[in-house]
Amino acid sequence: MALALRKQGASKSSTVSFLVATPETGVDSILVSWIMLGPWLTVIRPVSAIFCAIFAGLLTWWWQHYRTRAVVTAPATAVSLPVQSSSISVVSQNLESGGCCSNSSCCDDNAVPLPEIFWQRNLYGVRYAINDLFDDLALWIFAGLLLAAVVLMLVPPGQLSYLAGWGVTGLFVVMLMSVPIYVCATASTPLAAAMLHAGISPGMALVFLLTGPATSMVTLALLGKELGRATLVTYLVGIGMGGILCGVVTDWLFKRMAWPVTFTPLASEAGINAFGLIGVQWLSTALFLSMVLRFLWKSYR
C-alpha cells in the first residue's frame, strides 16, 4: 500500500511516515494491547508510533532537501510522449453516449454497494470483521501466541530483569533483537507481554513493539529498491532513534508515576463473580476456536 501511494505521487518522506505509523495504530493492535499490556502502554504505543513516523519522515525530508542542494543537476529537457488517441476517443465516445464511464458508480465492476440503513451497515461491518479481517489476522495471532508461550516456558519470570539496568544500552539491544524477528503489530503484542513477564522494562517492550513490525527484511528490501538506499538509511535511523527516545521517556514515566508494569483486570479487583468471568472467558475461547476452524476449513477445503 505504501508503494502504491508512492506511485500515486506521495513524497518519500510521507511514504516513510506511512510505513512507520500504520502497523502500530491499527484498532486490532490497540485492543489487544489493552488486554495484554495494560492501559498505560496502550496509550503510549500509538502516540509513540505517530512521533516516530513524523520523526522518520522529517529526517527523510531533511536529507533530500538540505543534503542534496549542492548537487547541480542539468536542466530537464522536454520529452514528448506519444498520445494514445484511440484510448481517448473511446473514453470520449463513452462520455458522449452516456456509457458506463459517464456514471462513476458503475465503472468498478467489483464495487459492492453499501447498505443505507443503520442496522444493515452494522451487520455489514460485523460480517467484514468475521470473514475478511479475522482471516487476515488468524495466522498472525497464532504465531504471536506460540512465540509468547515459548518465551514463557523457556525464560523464567524475572530472568531478563538485568537488561532493565542497562539503560539506553538495553534499549539498543532489544532493538537489535527485534530486527530479524518479524511479527505483525498484533502478533508482537503477546510476545511483548511475555518479555515483560520475563523482566524487561516497559520502555524495552515499547521499543520491540515499534521496531519489530517496521523492520522486516521484506520491507527493508522493497524500501531500498523502490525509494533508494538513502531513504532506507533515514527510515532505519528514524525508527531506531525515535523508538529508543520513546523507550527512555516510557521508563521514566513508569518510574515517576509508579505505574504498574503488569495489568490486573479491574473486574477481578472489584470482586465480581468469578464464575461469570470464567463463563465469559470460555465463551470467548469457544467463539475464537470456532472462527479458527471456519478459517481453516475455507483455506484447505
Side-chain angles (χ1 to χ4, degrees):
M1 188 178 296
L3 295 180
L5 291 175
R6 172 61 181 166
K7 292 179 180 179
Q8 293 295 327
S11 62
K12 291 184 178 181
S13 57
S14 301
T15 305
V16 167
S17 297
F18 179 86
L19 281 172
V20 176
T22 302
E24 303 299 333
T25 55
V27 178
D28 51 347
S29 60
I30 293 176
L31 292 178
V32 175
S33 299
W34 181 272
I35 300 298
M36 295 186 172
L37 302 177
W40 307 118
L41 277 178
T42 301
V43 175
I44 294 175
R45 182 179 185 179
V47 173
S48 301
I50 294 174
F51 169 79
C52 292
I54 296 175
F55 179 72
L58 289 176
L59 188 62
T60 303
W61 175 84
W62 171 81
W63 180 267
Q64 290 179 339
H65 286 76
Y66 289 91
R67 298 290 295 180
T68 59
R69 284 190 304 176
V71 179
V72 180
T73 59
T77 57
V79 178
S80 60
L81 297 177
V83 179
Q84 298 179 355
S85 58
S86 59
S87 301
I88 297 178
S89 61
V90 171
V91 174
S92 61
Q93 290 176 3
N94 286 332
L95 291 174
E96 293 176 357
S97 61
C100 176
C101 290
S102 63
N103 186 2
S104 60
S105 63
C106 65
C107 285
D108 189 0
D109 296 335
N110 298 324
V112 179
L114 295 177
E116 298 181 356
I117 304 177
F118 177 75
W119 68 268
Q120 290 182 346
R121 292 199 300 268
N122 283 281
L123 183 61
Y124 180 85
V126 172
R127 290 177 178 174
Y128 171 77
I130 294 177
N131 295 323
D132 300 335
L133 186 59
F134 184 82
D135 291 349
D136 293 336
L137 295 177
L139 293 179
W140 290 113
I141 292 176
F142 264 97
L145 292 176
L146 181 61
L147 289 175
V150 171
V151 173
L152 289 174
M153 290 179 60
L154 299 180
V155 183
Q159 188 170 355
L160 298 179
S161 58
Y162 65 93
L163 289 176
W166 288 11
V168 179
T169 305
L171 298 175
F172 186 75
V173 170
V174 172
M175 183 189 67
L176 294 180
M177 291 171 52
S178 65
V179 172
I181 304 175
Y182 174 68
V183 285
C184 70
T186 303
S188 63
T189 305
L191 185 56
M195 295 171 67
L196 279 174
H197 184 73
I200 68 172
S201 66
M204 294 179 181
L206 180 65
V207 170
F208 175 79
L209 291 172
L210 292 174
T211 58
T215 55
S216 69
M217 296 303 176
V218 176
T219 301
L220 298 181
L222 289 176
L223 191 65
K225 179 181 179 181
E226 298 294 334
L227 301 183
R229 295 181 180 179
T231 303
L232 176 61
V233 172
T234 56
Y235 174 83
L236 291 174
V237 172
I239 188 63
M241 294 180 59
I244 291 178
L245 180 60
C246 292
V248 171
V249 174
T250 299
D251 285 337
W252 179 83
L253 285 175
F254 269 82
K255 292 180 181 179
R256 180 72 175 177
M257 302 298 179
W259 290 339
V261 177
T262 57
F263 177 59
T264 303
L266 297 178
S268 61
E269 294 179 357
I272 298 178
N273 187 359
F275 178 77
L277 291 177
I278 294 176
V280 172
Q281 292 174 358
W282 280 105
L283 180 62
S284 302
T285 303
L287 178 61
F288 178 76
L289 290 178
S290 64
M291 295 172 65
V292 170
L293 292 176
R294 180 174 177 269
F295 164 74
L296 294 176
W297 180 77
K298 290 192 304 180
S299 301
Y300 300 101
R301 64 178 179 177

